[in-house]
PDB file of all heavy atoms in Angstrom:
ATOM      1  N   LEU I 426     -29.408 -23.878 -52.437  1.00  0.00           N
ATOM      2  CA  LEU I 426     -28.682 -24.958 -51.781  1.00  0.00           C
ATOM      3  C   LEU I 426     -28.352 -26.011 -52.831  1.00  0.00           C
ATOM      4  O   LEU I 426     -29.211 -26.803 -53.207  1.00  0.00           O
ATOM      5  CB  LEU I 426     -29.534 -25.568 -50.663  1.00  0.00           C
ATOM      6  CG  LEU I 426     -28.958 -26.802 -49.967  1.00  0.00           C
ATOM      7  CD1 LEU I 426     -27.625 -26.481 -49.308  1.00  0.00           C
ATOM      8  CD2 LEU I 426     -29.948 -27.338 -48.944  1.00  0.00           C
ATOM      9  N   PRO I 427     -27.120 -26.037 -53.349  1.00  0.00           N
ATOM     10  CA  PRO I 427     -26.749 -27.048 -54.349  1.00  0.00           C
ATOM     11  C   PRO I 427     -26.656 -28.424 -53.709  1.00  0.00           C
ATOM     12  O   PRO I 427     -26.561 -28.561 -52.488  1.00  0.00           O
ATOM     13  CB  PRO I 427     -25.370 -26.580 -54.840  1.00  0.00           C
ATOM     14  CG  PRO I 427     -25.175 -25.214 -54.273  1.00  0.00           C
ATOM     15  CD  PRO I 427     -26.016 -25.132 -53.047  1.00  0.00           C
ATOM     16  N   GLN I 428     -26.653 -29.441 -54.527  1.00  0.00           N
ATOM     17  CA  GLN I 428     -26.497 -30.786 -54.010  1.00  0.00           C
ATOM     18  C   GLN I 428     -25.023 -31.153 -53.900  1.00  0.00           C
ATOM     19  O   GLN I 428     -24.176 -30.632 -54.626  1.00  0.00           O
ATOM     20  CB  GLN I 428     -27.194 -31.804 -54.922  1.00  0.00           C
ATOM     21  CG  GLN I 428     -26.579 -31.958 -56.297  1.00  0.00           C
ATOM     22  CD  GLN I 428     -27.035 -33.225 -57.001  1.00  0.00           C
ATOM     23  OE1 GLN I 428     -26.752 -34.323 -56.560  1.00  0.00           O
ATOM     24  NE2 GLN I 428     -27.761 -33.051 -58.107  1.00  0.00           N
ATOM     25  N   GLY I 429     -24.734 -32.047 -52.974  1.00  0.00           N
ATOM     26  CA  GLY I 429     -23.427 -32.678 -52.882  1.00  0.00           C
ATOM     27  C   GLY I 429     -22.257 -31.745 -52.716  1.00  0.00           C
ATOM     28  O   GLY I 429     -21.181 -31.981 -53.276  1.00  0.00           O
ATOM     29  N   GLN I 430     -22.410 -30.669 -51.940  1.00  0.00           N
ATOM     30  CA  GLN I 430     -21.291 -29.747 -51.762  1.00  0.00           C
ATOM     31  C   GLN I 430     -20.190 -30.370 -50.903  1.00  0.00           C
ATOM     32  O   GLN I 430     -20.462 -31.024 -49.900  1.00  0.00           O
ATOM     33  CB  GLN I 430     -21.771 -28.454 -51.110  1.00  0.00           C
ATOM     34  CG  GLN I 430     -22.497 -27.515 -52.063  1.00  0.00           C
ATOM     35  CD  GLN I 430     -22.740 -26.181 -51.416  1.00  0.00           C
ATOM     36  OE1 GLN I 430     -23.528 -26.068 -50.499  1.00  0.00           O
ATOM     37  NE2 GLN I 430     -22.061 -25.157 -51.889  1.00  0.00           N
ATOM     38  N   THR I 431     -18.964 -30.153 -51.293  1.00  0.00           N
ATOM     39  CA  THR I 431     -17.810 -30.605 -50.536  1.00  0.00           C
ATOM     40  C   THR I 431     -17.223 -29.435 -49.763  1.00  0.00           C
ATOM     41  O   THR I 431     -17.042 -28.356 -50.322  1.00  0.00           O
ATOM     42  CB  THR I 431     -16.727 -31.194 -51.465  1.00  0.00           C
ATOM     43  OG1 THR I 431     -17.297 -32.289 -52.194  1.00  0.00           O
ATOM     44  CG2 THR I 431     -15.533 -31.699 -50.670  1.00  0.00           C
ATOM     45  N   LEU I 432     -16.950 -29.646 -48.497  1.00  0.00           N
ATOM     46  CA  LEU I 432     -16.376 -28.593 -47.658  1.00  0.00           C
ATOM     47  C   LEU I 432     -14.857 -28.749 -47.642  1.00  0.00           C
ATOM     48  O   LEU I 432     -14.336 -29.811 -47.300  1.00  0.00           O
ATOM     49  CB  LEU I 432     -16.928 -28.692 -46.238  1.00  0.00           C
ATOM     50  CG  LEU I 432     -18.455 -28.609 -46.111  1.00  0.00           C
ATOM     51  CD1 LEU I 432     -18.873 -28.709 -44.658  1.00  0.00           C
ATOM     52  CD2 LEU I 432     -18.979 -27.328 -46.740  1.00  0.00           C
ATOM     53  N   HIS I 433     -14.148 -27.688 -47.995  1.00  0.00           N
ATOM     54  CA  HIS I 433     -12.698 -27.753 -48.100  1.00  0.00           C
ATOM     55  C   HIS I 433     -11.985 -27.044 -46.952  1.00  0.00           C
ATOM     56  O   HIS I 433     -10.845 -27.358 -46.650  1.00  0.00           O
ATOM     57  CB  HIS I 433     -12.236 -27.146 -49.421  1.00  0.00           C
ATOM     58  CG  HIS I 433     -12.759 -27.865 -50.624  1.00  0.00           C
ATOM     59  ND1 HIS I 433     -12.290 -29.095 -51.030  1.00  0.00           N
ATOM     60  CD2 HIS I 433     -13.737 -27.529 -51.511  1.00  0.00           C
ATOM     61  CE1 HIS I 433     -12.930 -29.485 -52.123  1.00  0.00           C
ATOM     62  NE2 HIS I 433     -13.810 -28.550 -52.433  1.00  0.00           N
ATOM     63  N   TRP I 434     -12.639 -26.054 -46.347  1.00  0.00           N
ATOM     64  CA  TRP I 434     -11.966 -25.229 -45.351  1.00  0.00           C
ATOM     65  C   TRP I 434     -12.438 -25.602 -43.953  1.00  0.00           C
ATOM     66  O   TRP I 434     -13.643 -25.703 -43.700  1.00  0.00           O
ATOM     67  CB  TRP I 434     -12.237 -23.747 -45.621  1.00  0.00           C
ATOM     68  CG  TRP I 434     -11.722 -23.313 -46.960  1.00  0.00           C
ATOM     69  CD1 TRP I 434     -12.454 -23.147 -48.106  1.00  0.00           C
ATOM     70  CD2 TRP I 434     -10.374 -23.037 -47.311  1.00  0.00           C
ATOM     71  NE1 TRP I 434     -11.645 -22.771 -49.135  1.00  0.00           N
ATOM     72  CE2 TRP I 434     -10.352 -22.697 -48.688  1.00  0.00           C
ATOM     73  CE3 TRP I 434      -9.177 -23.034 -46.594  1.00  0.00           C
ATOM     74  CZ2 TRP I 434      -9.199 -22.361 -49.356  1.00  0.00           C
ATOM     75  CZ3 TRP I 434      -8.006 -22.701 -47.264  1.00  0.00           C
ATOM     76  CH2 TRP I 434      -8.020 -22.363 -48.624  1.00  0.00           C
ATOM     77  N   PRO I 435     -11.523 -25.772 -43.017  1.00  0.00           N
ATOM     78  CA  PRO I 435     -11.881 -26.192 -41.643  1.00  0.00           C
ATOM     79  C   PRO I 435     -12.385 -25.032 -40.792  1.00  0.00           C
ATOM     80  O   PRO I 435     -11.783 -24.674 -39.763  1.00  0.00           O
ATOM     81  CB  PRO I 435     -10.567 -26.760 -41.104  1.00  0.00           C
ATOM     82  CG  PRO I 435      -9.503 -25.974 -41.819  1.00  0.00           C
ATOM     83  CD  PRO I 435     -10.054 -25.719 -43.206  1.00  0.00           C
ATOM     84  N   VAL I 436     -13.489 -24.435 -41.213  1.00  0.00           N
ATOM     85  CA  VAL I 436     -14.086 -23.339 -40.442  1.00  0.00           C
ATOM     86  C   VAL I 436     -15.129 -23.916 -39.497  1.00  0.00           C
ATOM     87  O   VAL I 436     -15.591 -25.052 -39.656  1.00  0.00           O
ATOM     88  CB  VAL I 436     -14.744 -22.291 -41.364  1.00  0.00           C
ATOM     89  CG1 VAL I 436     -13.716 -21.654 -42.274  1.00  0.00           C
ATOM     90  CG2 VAL I 436     -15.869 -22.920 -42.184  1.00  0.00           C
ATOM     91  N   THR I 437     -15.507 -23.131 -38.498  1.00  0.00           N
ATOM     92  CA  THR I 437     -16.553 -23.582 -37.588  1.00  0.00           C
ATOM     93  C   THR I 437     -17.904 -23.555 -38.299  1.00  0.00           C
ATOM     94  O   THR I 437     -18.100 -22.846 -39.296  1.00  0.00           O
ATOM     95  CB  THR I 437     -16.632 -22.695 -36.339  1.00  0.00           C
ATOM     96  OG1 THR I 437     -17.049 -21.373 -36.736  1.00  0.00           O
ATOM     97  CG2 THR I 437     -15.301 -22.644 -35.620  1.00  0.00           C
ATOM     98  N   VAL I 438     -18.824 -24.312 -37.746  1.00  0.00           N
ATOM     99  CA  VAL I 438     -20.173 -24.356 -38.308  1.00  0.00           C
ATOM    100  C   VAL I 438     -20.799 -22.957 -38.300  1.00  0.00           C
ATOM    101  O   VAL I 438     -21.431 -22.538 -39.277  1.00  0.00           O
ATOM    102  CB  VAL I 438     -21.040 -25.348 -37.502  1.00  0.00           C
ATOM    103  CG1 VAL I 438     -22.530 -25.147 -37.802  1.00  0.00           C
ATOM    104  CG2 VAL I 438     -20.625 -26.776 -37.813  1.00  0.00           C
ATOM    105  N   GLU I 439     -20.615 -22.222 -37.216  1.00  0.00           N
ATOM    106  CA  GLU I 439     -21.208 -20.884 -37.143  1.00  0.00           C
ATOM    107  C   GLU I 439     -20.675 -19.972 -38.247  1.00  0.00           C
ATOM    108  O   GLU I 439     -21.439 -19.230 -38.876  1.00  0.00           O
ATOM    109  CB  GLU I 439     -20.925 -20.268 -35.775  1.00  0.00           C
ATOM    110  CG  GLU I 439     -21.646 -18.944 -35.563  1.00  0.00           C
ATOM    111  CD  GLU I 439     -21.489 -18.441 -34.147  1.00  0.00           C
ATOM    112  OE1 GLU I 439     -20.452 -18.757 -33.521  1.00  0.00           O
ATOM    113  OE2 GLU I 439     -22.398 -17.748 -33.654  1.00  0.00           O
ATOM    114  N   ARG I 440     -19.383 -20.041 -38.509  1.00  0.00           N
ATOM    115  CA  ARG I 440     -18.816 -19.203 -39.573  1.00  0.00           C
ATOM    116  C   ARG I 440     -19.311 -19.650 -40.944  1.00  0.00           C
ATOM    117  O   ARG I 440     -19.539 -18.817 -41.826  1.00  0.00           O
ATOM    118  CB  ARG I 440     -17.287 -19.265 -39.525  1.00  0.00           C
ATOM    119  CG  ARG I 440     -16.674 -18.543 -38.334  1.00  0.00           C
ATOM    120  CD  ARG I 440     -15.189 -18.387 -38.470  1.00  0.00           C
ATOM    121  NE  ARG I 440     -14.833 -17.518 -39.591  1.00  0.00           N
ATOM    122  CZ  ARG I 440     -13.583 -17.269 -39.975  1.00  0.00           C
ATOM    123  NH1 ARG I 440     -12.568 -17.846 -39.330  1.00  0.00           N
ATOM    124  NH2 ARG I 440     -13.333 -16.459 -40.980  1.00  0.00           N
ATOM    125  N   LEU I 441     -19.476 -20.955 -41.118  1.00  0.00           N
ATOM    126  CA  LEU I 441     -19.978 -21.449 -42.401  1.00  0.00           C
ATOM    127  C   LEU I 441     -21.402 -20.966 -42.641  1.00  0.00           C
ATOM    128  O   LEU I 441     -21.735 -20.495 -43.734  1.00  0.00           O
ATOM    129  CB  LEU I 441     -19.918 -22.977 -42.431  1.00  0.00           C
ATOM    130  CG  LEU I 441     -20.458 -23.653 -43.697  1.00  0.00           C
ATOM    131  CD1 LEU I 441     -19.681 -23.210 -44.924  1.00  0.00           C
ATOM    132  CD2 LEU I 441     -20.414 -25.168 -43.552  1.00  0.00           C
ATOM    133  N   VAL I 442     -22.248 -21.063 -41.638  1.00  0.00           N
ATOM    134  CA  VAL I 442     -23.634 -20.607 -41.782  1.00  0.00           C
ATOM    135  C   VAL I 442     -23.671 -19.104 -42.030  1.00  0.00           C
ATOM    136  O   VAL I 442     -24.489 -18.601 -42.807  1.00  0.00           O
ATOM    137  CB  VAL I 442     -24.456 -20.988 -40.532  1.00  0.00           C
ATOM    138  CG1 VAL I 442     -25.874 -20.406 -40.624  1.00  0.00           C
ATOM    139  CG2 VAL I 442     -24.525 -22.506 -40.395  1.00  0.00           C
ATOM    140  N   ALA I 443     -22.754 -18.371 -41.409  1.00  0.00           N
ATOM    141  CA  ALA I 443     -22.714 -16.918 -41.572  1.00  0.00           C
ATOM    142  C   ALA I 443     -22.413 -16.499 -43.005  1.00  0.00           C
ATOM    143  O   ALA I 443     -22.732 -15.367 -43.405  1.00  0.00           O
ATOM    144  CB  ALA I 443     -21.677 -16.311 -40.627  1.00  0.00           C
ATOM    145  N   LEU I 444     -21.840 -17.400 -43.806  1.00  0.00           N
ATOM    146  CA  LEU I 444     -21.595 -17.070 -45.216  1.00  0.00           C
ATOM    147  C   LEU I 444     -22.902 -16.798 -45.956  1.00  0.00           C
ATOM    148  O   LEU I 444     -22.896 -16.147 -47.006  1.00  0.00           O
ATOM    149  CB  LEU I 444     -20.828 -18.208 -45.892  1.00  0.00           C
ATOM    150  CG  LEU I 444     -19.391 -18.438 -45.412  1.00  0.00           C
ATOM    151  CD1 LEU I 444     -18.789 -19.656 -46.105  1.00  0.00           C
ATOM    152  CD2 LEU I 444     -18.540 -17.199 -45.671  1.00  0.00           C
ATOM    153  N   GLY I 445     -23.999 -17.300 -45.419  1.00  0.00           N
ATOM    154  CA  GLY I 445     -25.293 -17.016 -46.032  1.00  0.00           C
ATOM    155  C   GLY I 445     -25.655 -15.546 -46.019  1.00  0.00           C
ATOM    156  O   GLY I 445     -26.521 -15.101 -46.778  1.00  0.00           O
ATOM    157  N   ARG I 446     -24.997 -14.757 -45.190  1.00  0.00           N
ATOM    158  CA  ARG I 446     -25.296 -13.329 -45.106  1.00  0.00           C
ATOM    159  C   ARG I 446     -24.502 -12.503 -46.112  1.00  0.00           C
ATOM    160  O   ARG I 446     -24.705 -11.280 -46.218  1.00  0.00           O
ATOM    161  CB  ARG I 446     -25.003 -12.811 -43.688  1.00  0.00           C
ATOM    162  CG  ARG I 446     -25.825 -13.475 -42.607  1.00  0.00           C
ATOM    163  CD  ARG I 446     -27.310 -13.345 -42.863  1.00  0.00           C
ATOM    164  NE  ARG I 446     -27.752 -11.951 -42.855  1.00  0.00           N
ATOM    165  CZ  ARG I 446     -28.965 -11.548 -43.243  1.00  0.00           C
ATOM    166  NH1 ARG I 446     -29.849 -12.431 -43.710  1.00  0.00           N
ATOM    167  NH2 ARG I 446     -29.293 -10.280 -43.198  1.00  0.00           N
ATOM    168  N   LEU I 447     -23.605 -13.119 -46.870  1.00  0.00           N
ATOM    169  CA  LEU I 447     -22.757 -12.370 -47.798  1.00  0.00           C
ATOM    170  C   LEU I 447     -23.537 -11.505 -48.791  1.00  0.00           C
ATOM    171  O   LEU I 447     -23.099 -10.392 -49.106  1.00  0.00           O
ATOM    172  CB  LEU I 447     -21.827 -13.329 -48.549  1.00  0.00           C
ATOM    173  CG  LEU I 447     -20.659 -13.901 -47.741  1.00  0.00           C
ATOM    174  CD1 LEU I 447     -19.846 -14.876 -48.593  1.00  0.00           C
ATOM    175  CD2 LEU I 447     -19.775 -12.793 -47.202  1.00  0.00           C
ATOM    176  N   PRO I 448     -24.674 -11.975 -49.342  1.00  0.00           N
ATOM    177  CA  PRO I 448     -25.390 -11.104 -50.288  1.00  0.00           C
ATOM    178  C   PRO I 448     -25.853  -9.778 -49.700  1.00  0.00           C
ATOM    179  O   PRO I 448     -26.161  -8.845 -50.439  1.00  0.00           O
ATOM    180  CB  PRO I 448     -26.595 -11.967 -50.708  1.00  0.00           C
ATOM    181  CG  PRO I 448     -26.168 -13.369 -50.462  1.00  0.00           C
ATOM    182  CD  PRO I 448     -25.301 -13.300 -49.248  1.00  0.00           C
ATOM    183  N   HIS I 449     -25.885  -9.691 -48.375  1.00  0.00           N
ATOM    184  CA  HIS I 449     -26.366  -8.473 -47.713  1.00  0.00           C
ATOM    185  C   HIS I 449     -25.233  -7.554 -47.278  1.00  0.00           C
ATOM    186  O   HIS I 449     -25.492  -6.453 -46.784  1.00  0.00           O
ATOM    187  CB  HIS I 449     -27.197  -8.845 -46.482  1.00  0.00           C
ATOM    188  CG  HIS I 449     -28.385  -9.696 -46.784  1.00  0.00           C
ATOM    189  ND1 HIS I 449     -29.591  -9.180 -47.197  1.00  0.00           N
ATOM    190  CD2 HIS I 449     -28.536 -11.048 -46.751  1.00  0.00           C
ATOM    191  CE1 HIS I 449     -30.449 -10.169 -47.389  1.00  0.00           C
ATOM    192  NE2 HIS I 449     -29.839 -11.306 -47.126  1.00  0.00           N
ATOM    193  N   LEU I 450     -23.985  -7.996 -47.413  1.00  0.00           N
ATOM    194  CA  LEU I 450     -22.855  -7.258 -46.862  1.00  0.00           C
ATOM    195  C   LEU I 450     -22.105  -6.481 -47.937  1.00  0.00           C
ATOM    196  O   LEU I 450     -21.919  -6.969 -49.059  1.00  0.00           O
ATOM    197  CB  LEU I 450     -21.882  -8.220 -46.175  1.00  0.00           C
ATOM    198  CG  LEU I 450     -22.434  -9.033 -44.999  1.00  0.00           C
ATOM    199  CD1 LEU I 450     -21.359  -9.961 -44.451  1.00  0.00           C
ATOM    200  CD2 LEU I 450     -22.963  -8.111 -43.908  1.00  0.00           C
ATOM    201  N   ALA I 451     -21.653  -5.303 -47.579  1.00  0.00           N
ATOM    202  CA  ALA I 451     -20.756  -4.545 -48.453  1.00  0.00           C
ATOM    203  C   ALA I 451     -19.358  -5.150 -48.342  1.00  0.00           C
ATOM    204  O   ALA I 451     -19.042  -5.845 -47.372  1.00  0.00           O
ATOM    205  CB  ALA I 451     -20.741  -3.081 -48.030  1.00  0.00           C
ATOM    206  N   PRO I 452     -18.503  -4.927 -49.352  1.00  0.00           N
ATOM    207  CA  PRO I 452     -17.135  -5.460 -49.284  1.00  0.00           C
ATOM    208  C   PRO I 452     -16.422  -5.042 -47.995  1.00  0.00           C
ATOM    209  O   PRO I 452     -16.489  -3.884 -47.593  1.00  0.00           O
ATOM    210  CB  PRO I 452     -16.466  -4.858 -50.527  1.00  0.00           C
ATOM    211  CG  PRO I 452     -17.597  -4.607 -51.479  1.00  0.00           C
ATOM    212  CD  PRO I 452     -18.750  -4.211 -50.615  1.00  0.00           C
ATOM    213  N   PHE I 453     -15.773  -6.017 -47.364  1.00  0.00           N
ATOM    214  CA  PHE I 453     -14.952  -5.807 -46.165  1.00  0.00           C
ATOM    215  C   PHE I 453     -15.762  -5.389 -44.934  1.00  0.00           C
ATOM    216  O   PHE I 453     -15.185  -4.979 -43.929  1.00  0.00           O
ATOM    217  CB  PHE I 453     -13.856  -4.761 -46.426  1.00  0.00           C
ATOM    218  CG  PHE I 453     -13.032  -5.053 -47.643  1.00  0.00           C
ATOM    219  CD1 PHE I 453     -13.139  -4.243 -48.773  1.00  0.00           C
ATOM    220  CD2 PHE I 453     -12.177  -6.142 -47.694  1.00  0.00           C
ATOM    221  CE1 PHE I 453     -12.395  -4.513 -49.915  1.00  0.00           C
ATOM    222  CE2 PHE I 453     -11.434  -6.413 -48.825  1.00  0.00           C
ATOM    223  CZ  PHE I 453     -11.533  -5.598 -49.932  1.00  0.00           C
ATOM    224  N   SER I 454     -17.082  -5.495 -45.008  1.00  0.00           N
ATOM    225  CA  SER I 454     -17.892  -5.146 -43.840  1.00  0.00           C
ATOM    226  C   SER I 454     -18.039  -6.350 -42.915  1.00  0.00           C
ATOM    227  O   SER I 454     -17.783  -7.497 -43.311  1.00  0.00           O
ATOM    228  CB  SER I 454     -19.268  -4.640 -44.274  1.00  0.00           C
ATOM    229  OG  SER I 454     -19.979  -5.664 -44.940  1.00  0.00           O
ATOM    230  N   ARG I 455     -18.451  -6.104 -41.691  1.00  0.00           N
ATOM    231  CA  ARG I 455     -18.617  -7.156 -40.698  1.00  0.00           C
ATOM    232  C   ARG I 455     -20.104  -7.433 -40.464  1.00  0.00           C
ATOM    233  O   ARG I 455     -20.962  -6.635 -40.820  1.00  0.00           O
ATOM    234  CB  ARG I 455     -17.945  -6.753 -39.394  1.00  0.00           C
ATOM    235  CG  ARG I 455     -16.438  -6.604 -39.501  1.00  0.00           C
ATOM    236  CD  ARG I 455     -15.828  -6.332 -38.139  1.00  0.00           C
ATOM    237  NE  ARG I 455     -14.378  -6.263 -38.192  1.00  0.00           N
ATOM    238  CZ  ARG I 455     -13.595  -6.121 -37.131  1.00  0.00           C
ATOM    239  NH1 ARG I 455     -14.140  -6.021 -35.917  1.00  0.00           N
ATOM    240  NH2 ARG I 455     -12.280  -6.068 -37.269  1.00  0.00           N
ATOM    241  N   LEU I 456     -20.363  -8.580 -39.849  1.00  0.00           N
ATOM    242  CA  LEU I 456     -21.734  -8.931 -39.533  1.00  0.00           C
ATOM    243  C   LEU I 456     -22.307  -7.947 -38.523  1.00  0.00           C
ATOM    244  O   LEU I 456     -21.661  -7.612 -37.522  1.00  0.00           O
ATOM    245  CB  LEU I 456     -21.810 -10.343 -38.958  1.00  0.00           C
ATOM    246  CG  LEU I 456     -21.430 -11.508 -39.873  1.00  0.00           C
ATOM    247  CD1 LEU I 456     -21.532 -12.815 -39.108  1.00  0.00           C
ATOM    248  CD2 LEU I 456     -22.327 -11.543 -41.105  1.00  0.00           C
ATOM    249  N   SER I 457     -23.524  -7.504 -38.782  1.00  0.00           N
ATOM    250  CA  SER I 457     -24.232  -6.637 -37.848  1.00  0.00           C
ATOM    251  C   SER I 457     -24.978  -7.510 -36.831  1.00  0.00           C
ATOM    252  O   SER I 457     -25.106  -8.732 -37.018  1.00  0.00           O
ATOM    253  CB  SER I 457     -25.233  -5.772 -38.613  1.00  0.00           C
ATOM    254  OG  SER I 457     -26.275  -6.591 -39.122  1.00  0.00           O
ATOM    255  N   PRO I 458     -25.508  -6.912 -35.781  1.00  0.00           N
ATOM    256  CA  PRO I 458     -26.342  -7.686 -34.855  1.00  0.00           C
ATOM    257  C   PRO I 458     -27.517  -8.369 -35.551  1.00  0.00           C
ATOM    258  O   PRO I 458     -27.884  -9.495 -35.199  1.00  0.00           O
ATOM    259  CB  PRO I 458     -26.811  -6.626 -33.853  1.00  0.00           C
ATOM    260  CG  PRO I 458     -25.707  -5.618 -33.843  1.00  0.00           C
ATOM    261  CD  PRO I 458     -25.231  -5.549 -35.272  1.00  0.00           C
ATOM    262  N   ALA I 459     -28.094  -7.704 -36.563  1.00  0.00           N
ATOM    263  CA  ALA I 459     -29.199  -8.321 -37.308  1.00  0.00           C
ATOM    264  C   ALA I 459     -28.717  -9.534 -38.093  1.00  0.00           C
ATOM    265  O   ALA I 459     -29.421 -10.551 -38.181  1.00  0.00           O
ATOM    266  CB  ALA I 459     -29.826  -7.292 -38.250  1.00  0.00           C
ATOM    267  N   ASP I 460     -27.510  -9.443 -38.674  1.00  0.00           N
ATOM    268  CA  ASP I 460     -26.940 -10.588 -39.386  1.00  0.00           C
ATOM    269  C   ASP I 460     -26.718 -11.754 -38.427  1.00  0.00           C
ATOM    270  O   ASP I 460     -27.039 -12.909 -38.746  1.00  0.00           O
ATOM    271  CB  ASP I 460     -25.605 -10.205 -40.038  1.00  0.00           C
ATOM    272  CG  ASP I 460     -25.759  -9.213 -41.176  1.00  0.00           C
ATOM    273  OD1 ASP I 460     -26.721  -9.363 -41.950  1.00  0.00           O
ATOM    274  OD2 ASP I 460     -24.925  -8.299 -41.282  1.00  0.00           O
ATOM    275  N   ARG I 461     -26.169 -11.469 -37.271  1.00  0.00           N
ATOM    276  CA  ARG I 461     -25.897 -12.528 -36.297  1.00  0.00           C
ATOM    277  C   ARG I 461     -27.191 -13.168 -35.801  1.00  0.00           C
ATOM    278  O   ARG I 461     -27.246 -14.378 -35.575  1.00  0.00           O
ATOM    279  CB  ARG I 461     -25.082 -11.971 -35.129  1.00  0.00           C
ATOM    280  CG  ARG I 461     -23.688 -11.497 -35.559  1.00  0.00           C
ATOM    281  CD  ARG I 461     -22.811 -11.160 -34.375  1.00  0.00           C
ATOM    282  NE  ARG I 461     -21.515 -10.652 -34.818  1.00  0.00           N
ATOM    283  CZ  ARG I 461     -20.522 -11.426 -35.243  1.00  0.00           C
ATOM    284  NH1 ARG I 461     -20.670 -12.755 -35.260  1.00  0.00           N
ATOM    285  NH2 ARG I 461     -19.384 -10.892 -35.626  1.00  0.00           N
ATOM    286  N   ALA I 462     -28.225 -12.363 -35.670  1.00  0.00           N
ATOM    287  CA  ALA I 462     -29.525 -12.902 -35.263  1.00  0.00           C
ATOM    288  C   ALA I 462     -30.086 -13.829 -36.338  1.00  0.00           C
ATOM    289  O   ALA I 462     -30.661 -14.885 -36.036  1.00  0.00           O
ATOM    290  CB  ALA I 462     -30.499 -11.766 -34.977  1.00  0.00           C
ATOM    291  N   ALA I 463     -29.913 -13.448 -37.617  1.00  0.00           N
ATOM    292  CA  ALA I 463     -30.378 -14.288 -38.721  1.00  0.00           C
ATOM    293  C   ALA I 463     -29.628 -15.610 -38.750  1.00  0.00           C
ATOM    294  O   ALA I 463     -30.213 -16.671 -39.022  1.00  0.00           O
ATOM    295  CB  ALA I 463     -30.211 -13.545 -40.042  1.00  0.00           C
ATOM    296  N   VAL I 464     -28.330 -15.586 -38.471  1.00  0.00           N
ATOM    297  CA  VAL I 464     -27.524 -16.805 -38.434  1.00  0.00           C
ATOM    298  C   VAL I 464     -27.990 -17.712 -37.299  1.00  0.00           C
ATOM    299  O   VAL I 464     -28.170 -18.925 -37.473  1.00  0.00           O
ATOM    300  CB  VAL I 464     -26.028 -16.455 -38.274  1.00  0.00           C
ATOM    301  CG1 VAL I 464     -25.206 -17.714 -37.983  1.00  0.00           C
ATOM    302  CG2 VAL I 464     -25.517 -15.766 -39.530  1.00  0.00           C
ATOM    303  N   ALA I 465     -28.195 -17.136 -36.131  1.00  0.00           N
ATOM    304  CA  ALA I 465     -28.637 -17.927 -34.977  1.00  0.00           C
ATOM    305  C   ALA I 465     -30.003 -18.557 -35.228  1.00  0.00           C
ATOM    306  O   ALA I 465     -30.235 -19.725 -34.893  1.00  0.00           O
ATOM    307  CB  ALA I 465     -28.680 -17.040 -33.728  1.00  0.00           C
TER     308      ALA I 465
END
Side-chain angles (χ1 to χ4, degrees):
L426 174 60
Q428 67 164 295
Q430 283 189 291
T431 301
L432 302 180
H433 298 286
W434 299 100
V436 298
T437 66
V438 165
E439 187 173 29
R440 289 192 65 184
L441 178 60
V442 175
L444 293 176
R446 299 303 297 170
L447 286 178
H449 301 276
L450 299 179
F453 308 111
S454 64
R455 296 185 177 184
L456 295 178
S457 68
D460 292 320
R461 295 189 183 281
V464 170

